Amino acid sequence: MVSAQRWAEHGCTLLQLLLSVSFSYTQEPLCRQIGDLEAPQLSKEGDIILGGIFSFHSSWKNRENTYTQKPLPLECISLNFREFQFAQSMLFAIEEINNSSDLLPGVSLGYDIYDTCGSIARSVKVALALTNDDSNVSSASERPCMKAAQVQAIMGETSSSPSTAIATVIGPFNIPLISHFATCACLSDKTKYPSFLRTVPSDYYQSRALAHLVKHFGWTWVGAVRTNDDYGNNGMATFTETAQQLGICLEYSVSFFRTDPLEKIQKIIEIMKSSTSKVVVAFLSHMDMDVLMHELTPHNLTGHQWIGSESWIFDSQIAAMDKNHMLDGAIGLSVPKAQVGGLREFMFNIETLNSSNSELFTEFWEALFSCKFKQEKSDEHYSECTGHEDLTGVENSFTDMSLMPIFNNVYKGVYAVAHALHEILSCNKMCNDSVRLDPTTISQHLKKINFKTKEGDEVYFNENGDPKATYEIINWQPGENGMVDFVTVGLYDASLPSDKQLNLTNNVPVSVCSETCPPGTRKVLQKGKPVCCHDCVKCAEGEISNTTDSVTCVRCPLETWSNEARDACVKKEAVFLSYGEIMGALLTAASLFGTCLTVIVTVIFFRYRKTPLVRANNSELSFLLLFSLTLCFLCSLTFIGEPSDWSCMLRHTAFGITFVLSLSCVLGKTIVVLMAFKATLPGRNVMKWFGPTQQRLSVLTFTVVQVIICILWLTISPPFPFRNFKEIKDKIILECSLGSAVGFWSVLGYIGLLAALCFTLAFLARKLPDNFNEAKFITFSMLIFCAVWITFIPAYVSSPGKLSVAVEIFAILASTFGLLFCIFIPKCYVILLKPEKNTKKNMMGKGQSKSF
């Protein structure tokens, strides 16, 4: 626990003076008493004397020194019932040992117990008084100073800072100092405090345990307040170091001492109120916590999760002060619960305190029962003490047994000394009283003792003079009638492996500067704030994070993409123009419709193949053209469906060859029209140069050129299936790569060349006699054909993914339908609906009709 008072300047001066006096006179052969004798507040004679140092008063009246006369003794004020309980625990253990026939038989233990009044300087003074045999040395004595120390061991102090001062002074004499509640980790340093021992665990373990407790609940943004002394400063330093290692950030860390000006404490409260953290780690003594709670009450600072050190977390008096329930749900570490049989009854027999100091007992009695033995006018609100008051029904800190674990620590400390003495005196049925006792021997035996109390508690000290570090985790839970129940919700055992030391389950509020970043996001630190303050930014498309509080997002592999939550990579959807989707179905229907329509026209032409209209328009080329148009319609189907090696090579080559075949036939028909017109002129017999054989050869020649281009394309760099990851980020486009762009554009260029040639010749033949003129319709068809393919180029280049395939299919179907409708539908119209015009006479231009 903490010290009862900070080192004051006059205290340091007094300490230096006492030390110089003590050590300077050890060089002299004779003893002379320097200063006044210090009489113990409680004492009892015995064969072996144990010392006790407790703060029966928590403060004293300030007096200004004039430096012209000897300073007056401290006038102590503010009785501390807790310290009386600790002293009674020591008396109970001594009484129990003296009445035992098993431990130190025939040897009685006595005690000298001093009150320090919460003053560190007085703590040192009474420690020296216990060290010196003041009772047998007068100021005029000339006896040699060779006598052993007055006491063999000292029990106390409760707080850390006075314990460090006492241990420093008595350390050179090797007198054991056994504290029941001084927890500062600094006291484990045996080079500085070789004879210090304690029955309470070191704050080294408590501070680390508190940090792990905070981490267990996911609190990464906390505030801290501590006592400004050895206890608070050392404990918080260890907590802060461990917290940083665990990724916990402190928004603020402030300190105060109970004697500080109220303005300083109010400033700390303002810091707590304005903070964003909802968890407060309070490494405070119970007296400093008392002061803080008193100042916090008007502010009603609720909604915070308090983490408490062992000094106040199980103190019922602190809980009783919390009228506004600000500490509800507090959690922290406490010394494990303990019971000492008979101790409660012994404490309630307060006559045990009425020994050598009747003045202290009178003050204690009056404070305990709120009465006065001698009434004065200023004491009218007090009742008169009779000396026969009963503790029944009295409720105050003296009758509160919640600190039984600490009483047990005092009890174990006394028994530890008794067991060490038992071994030194070689006790069996009786002890060897001829053995000369000295503190060094006792100190050495104390470090080796290992026994169990009557309650089964194991007592031993490690190499640092510390006991086993075990804590209960206490949670403040609302009880009946507005009271608080201290519920044990877990354990902390420092002797276990690190992953098993903390064992608890509890639901508590969240206190973080920023919420935990869920999977699918990454942490981005907020500028100018600690690392616990961050924003959660959603991972970009194609990136994921599958852990909480991830600092980076990981890019998905090429064939996968992030899901909507950005916490997993899923396989990209493969897209292509399929028969199942609406666009694919419509284009397929159009292709099949064109095929069927072409077949119908073929049937009509075949049915009327001997009529003048069919014969006059070169029926052989007409049937070949209809066949090629059928192939053009069907080749568009090769563009639909998932690309494969064969479909990629087939679709472009089939398209290129069938279209060249169609255009070759159209070109042949155009030339036939021109030759027929030339043949009607006198002296011209040009048809013999472009008869059926020449027409077939021209079609074959034009087609073979395209076949050669396609063979070269397929041989050098053929089209192949390609997985396009760039066009659409979250999808894979399955398409056919052209392989050789030169090959593709050569095929299209050759088709364009033939189309342009057809258009030119048809345009030149547009004014031939109407009845025989097929060139006019060829001109229209070529005009549509060229318009479609000219617009196809920019549309194809700019269309993404499967849309480019749809554009190519549309161009194929549109140009094919243009050829079919412009060249054959007018003829079918005459054949089926105007049969009277389907005569040789009409074909020769002798009829009335001018349809053709």
Side-chain angles (χ1 to χ4, degrees):
M1 208 183 74
V2 300
S3 73
Q5 179 61 287
R6 291 177 296 177
W7 279 99
E9 183 178 354
H10 66 275
C12 294
T13 305
L14 177 59
L15 176 59
Q16 293 172 355
L17 176 63
L18 289 170
L19 288 175
S20 63
V21 169
S22 298
F23 288 110
S24 63
Y25 276 91
T26 59
Q27 305 296 324
E28 298 183 8
L30 301 176
C31 287
R32 291 181 176 85
Q33 178 67 41
I34 304 297
D36 298 327
L37 291 176
E38 284 289 338
Q41 276 64 50
L42 300 173
S43 64
K44 181 182 179 180
E45 292 294 328
D47 297 326
I48 300 174
I49 303 298
L50 301 184
I53 301 178
F54 301 99
S55 297
F56 295 140
H57 296 83
S58 58
S59 188
W60 65 91
K61 286 186 178 179
N62 288 321
R63 295 192 181 114
E64 289 190 9
N65 292 322
T66 62
Y67 301 101
T68 60
Q69 61 182 3
K70 184 179 179 180
L72 296 173
L74 290 179
E75 184 178 351
C76 301
I77 58 175
S78 302
L79 276 180
N80 187 345
F81 285 146
R82 293 293 196 201
E83 298 292 317
F84 278 97
Q85 288 178 313
F86 297 150
Q88 278 195 294
S89 300
M90 177 180 173
L91 300 185
F92 173 74
I94 291 175
E95 187 76 17
E96 199 173 68
I97 293 168
N98 287 341
N99 294 330
S100 171
S101 59
D102 298 326
L103 192 60
L104 293 177
V107 177
S108 64
L109 296 179
Y111 53 82
D112 284 338
I113 299 177
Y114 287 86
D115 176 19
T116 67
C117 300
S119 167
I120 295 179
R122 180 168 171 79
S123 296
V124 174
K125 186 175 182 180
V126 299
L128 290 173
L130 287 170
T131 304
N132 297 321
D133 188 8
D134 295 332
S135 60
N136 297 321
V137 179
S138 66
S139 60
S141 174
E142 297 290 329
R143 295 162 55 187
C145 295
M146 300 299 292
K147 190 175 172 106
Q150 178 185 353
V151 297
Q152 303 303 320
I154 300 176
M155 313 307 300
E157 235 261 17
T158 301
S159 306
S160 294
S161 288
S163 293
T164 58
I166 296 169
T168 301
V169 171
I170 68 174
F173 306 113
N174 287 317
I175 299 176
L177 175 66
I178 304 177
S179 175
H180 50 279
F181 213 28
T183 57
C184 180
C186 58
L187 289 165
S188 296
D189 187 350
K190 295 299 103 177
T191 60
K192 293 183 179 179
Y193 315 106
S195 63
F196 178 81
L197 303 162
R198 54 185 160 194
T199 52
V200 64
S202 165
D203 279 339
Y204 171 79
Y205 302 102
Q206 180 185 199
S207 300
R208 291 173 60 83
L210 288 175
H212 283 280
L213 183 66
V214 171
K215 180 64 175 180
H216 174 83
F217 291 116
W219 298 322
T220 58
W221 185 238
V222 301
V225 57
R226 68 187 186 276
T227 298
N228 190 16
D229 66 357
D230 291 333
Y231 169 75
N233 293 331
N234 284 280
M236 187 55 68
T238 303
F239 172 84
T240 303
E241 179 184 357
T242 308
Q244 289 175 347
Q245 293 171 358
L246 296 175
I248 300 167
C249 295
L250 269 66
E251 182 180 10
Y252 60 88
S253 181
V254 292
S255 65
F256 74 95
F257 195 75
R258 54 187 170 275
T259 58
D260 285 342
L262 290 180
E263 291 78 8
K264 181 176 181 180
I265 300 175
Q266 288 296 330
K267 185 176 180 180
I268 290 174
I269 293 173
E270 291 301 320
I271 292 173
M272 296 171 66
K273 289 173 63 177
S274 62
S275 69
T276 58
S277 60
K278 296 302 178 184
V279 171
V280 181
V281 179
F283 216 101
L284 298 167
S285 72
H286 70 278
M287 290 181 284
D288 292 304
M289 189 65 183
D290 186 297
V291 172
L292 181 62
M293 288 305 301
H294 184 270
E295 297 300 321
L296 272 175
T297 299
H299 296 273
N300 195 21
L301 188 67
T302 58
H304 285 68
Q305 175 67 48
W306 289 78
I307 308 296
S309 59
E310 94 296 337
S311 179
W312 66 267
I313 194 63
F314 65 107
D315 194 319
S316 59
Q317 296 302 308
I318 299 295
M321 287 186 60
D322 186 22
K323 302 298 183 183
N324 295 333
H325 301 282
M326 292 180 289
L327 299 180
D328 281 3
I331 193 169
L333 303 180
S334 75
V335 179
K337 291 184 178 66
Q339 290 296 328
V340 181
L343 178 57
R344 186 177 187 276
E345 293 75 15
F346 182 87
M347 281 189 177
F348 279 30
N349 181 17
I350 56 178
E351 287 296 331
T352 58
L353 293 173
N354 189 11
S355 60
S356 58
N357 194 321
S358 59
E359 183 180 345
L360 176 65
F361 181 74
T362 298
E363 183 182 2
F364 167 74
W365 189 282
E366 289 179 342
L368 183 61
F369 295 107
S370 299
C371 63
K372 290 289 184 179
F373 282 105
K374 294 180 181 180
Q375 290 280 34
E376 299 179 3
K377 286 186 178 181
S378 59
D379 300 325
E380 291 179 356
H381 59 286
Y382 288 100
S383 61
E384 186 173 353
C385 295
T386 64
H388 301 288
E389 282 78 10
D390 188 3
L391 280 175
T392 303
V394 176
E395 292 185 3
N396 54 32
S397 58
F398 184 79
T399 59
D400 176 25
M401 294 290 110
S402 63
L403 295 184
M404 185 61 77
I406 312 305
F407 305 158
N408 185 45
N409 285 347
V410 179
Y411 178 83
K412 289 189 292 186
V414 176
Y415 263 84
V417 175
H419 276 272
L421 290 171
H422 189 86
E423 290 186 12
I424 295 171
L425 298 176
S426 304
C427 297
N428 192 358
K429 291 184 179 180
M430 291 297 292
C431 296
N432 183 4
D433 56 3
S434 64
V435 176
R436 178 186 173 91
L437 294 175
D438 69 277
T440 301
T441 304
I442 296 175
S443 181
Q444 291 172 351
H445 277 77
L446 274 171
K447 296 175 182 178
K448 299 176 183 178
I449 57 103
N450 192 325
F451 66 94
K452 287 188 177 181
T453 65
K454 64 181 181 180
E455 306 297 340
D457 294 335
E458 187 178 10
V459 180
Y460 67 90
F461 302 102
N462 63 17
E463 65 278 5
N464 296 322
D466 299 328
K468 177 182 178 182
T470 304
Y471 298 94
E472 288 184 353
I473 300 173
I474 300 297
N475 183 218
W476 288 26
Q477 298 182 6
E480 297 180 357
N481 302 322
M483 301 297 290
V484 172
D485 291 335
F486 299 133
V487 180
T488 301
V489 295
L491 296 171
Y492 183 88
D493 189 346
S495 64
L496 297 176
S498 58
D499 59 335
K500 296 181 180 179
Q501 291 176 349
L502 187 66
N503 182 17
L504 84 166
T505 54
N506 193 25
N507 294 324
V508 287
V510 174
S511 178
V512 291
C513 177
S514 302
E515 295 293 332
T516 298
C517 290
T521 62
R522 62 183 177 89
K523 294 198 302 185
V524 177
L525 297 181
Q526 295 178 0
K527 188 176 181 180
K529 292 190 177 182
V531 294
C532 290
C533 300
H534 57 264
D535 295 319
C536 298
V537 178
K538 192 172 184 179
C539 292
E541 290 184 343
E543 296 181 348
I544 66 160
S545 66
N546 54 11
T547 59
T548 57
D549 284 335
S550 176
V551 295
T552 58
C553 294
V554 180
R555 179 162 293 280
C556 290
L558 192 60
E559 295 189 2
T560 61
W561 194 252
S562 56
N563 59 3
E564 188 64 28
R566 305 285 200 275
D567 58 1
C569 291
V570 295
K571 192 172 183 179
K572 288 182 180 179
E573 179 188 359
V575 295
F576 54 88
L577 188 61
S578 65
Y579 295 101
E581 59 183 293
I582 295 176
M583 185 183 296
L586 290 175
L587 292 174
T588 300
S591 176
L592 295 177
F593 173 73
T595 302
C596 294
L597 191 61
T598 306
V599 171
I600 292 172
V601 172
T602 303
V603 172
I604 294 173
F605 264 59
F606 184 78
R607 172 71 176 77
Y608 296 97
R609 64 186 179 282
K610 295 184 179 180
T611 61
L613 181 60
V614 174
R615 294 181 65 188
N617 285 280
N618 196 328
S619 60
E620 186 174 340
L621 286 180
S622 295
F623 284 113
L624 186 58
L625 178 57
L626 288 170
F627 172 72
S628 63
L629 291 178
T630 302
L631 294 179
C632 288
F633 281 120
L634 292 176
C635 81
S636 63
L637 298 178
T638 61
F639 289 82
I640 304 175
E642 183 176 355
S644 61
D645 290 331
W646 70 266
S647 66
C648 287
M649 290 188 290
L650 179 63
R651 63 174 58 172
H652 289 105
T653 54
F655 151 70
I657 293 172
T658 54
F659 259 75
V660 166
L661 180 60
S662 300
L663 291 175
S664 298
C665 294
V666 172
L667 184 59
K669 292 174 71 66
T670 305
I671 295 174
V672 168
V673 171
L674 285 173
M675 294 302 176
F677 176 72
K678 295 293 183 179
T680 60
L681 297 176
R684 298 286 183 90
N685 189 18
V686 294
M687 283 301 296
K688 66 178 180 178
W689 299 108
F690 202 73
T693 302
Q694 287 81 7
Q695 294 172 22
R696 298 187 194 100
L697 286 175
S698 64
V699 171
L700 179 62
T701 302
F702 288 131
T703 305
V704 166
V705 173
Q706 185 72 306
V707 171
I708 294 172
I709 294 174
C710 290
I711 291 174
L712 291 174
W713 182 15
L714 295 179
T715 302
I716 298 172
S717 181
F720 58 90
F722 174 69
R723 300 159 71 88
N724 188 340
F725 296 100
K726 296 181 179 180
E727 202 74 50
I728 304 177
K729 294 180 179 179
D730 58 343
K731 295 179 181 179
I732 302 175
I733 301 175
L734 303 182
E735 58 186 14
C736 288
S737 175
L738 296 177
S740 171
V742 174
F744 174 73
W745 293 110
S746 296
V747 169
L748 284 185
Y750 185 64
I751 293 174
L753 178 64
L754 291 182
L757 183 60
C758 287
F759 177 76
T760 302
L761 294 178
F763 182 78
L764 294 175
R766 70 189 185 283
K767 295 184 179 181
L768 294 178
D770 285 349
N771 288 13
F772 191 73
N773 191 2
E774 193 178 24
K776 176 172 59 176
F777 300 107
I778 293 175
T779 303
F780 290 148
S781 67
M782 288 298 100
L783 188 62
I784 294 172
F785 187 93
C786 292
V788 167
W789 286 101
I790 289 173
T791 55
F792 159 78
I793 294 174
Y796 179 82
V797 172
S798 61
S799 297
K802 61 183 180 181
L803 293 180
S804 63
V805 179
V807 167
E808 190 168 358
I809 295 174
F810 179 80
I812 293 172
L813 294 177
S815 56
T816 306
F817 274 114
L819 291 174
L820 180 65
F821 284 178
C822 291
I823 296 176
F824 292 101
I825 295 303
K827 296 180 176 60
C828 291
Y829 172 78
V830 172
I831 293 172
L832 298 176
L833 300 179
K834 300 289 184 178
E836 68 277 6
K837 294 182 179 180
N838 189 5
T839 62
K840 186 176 180 181
K841 180 179 179 181
N842 188 65
M843 293 301 102
M844 296 300 294
K846 298 178 181 179
Q848 299 297 323
S849 176
K850 300 294 180 183
S851 300
F852 288 89

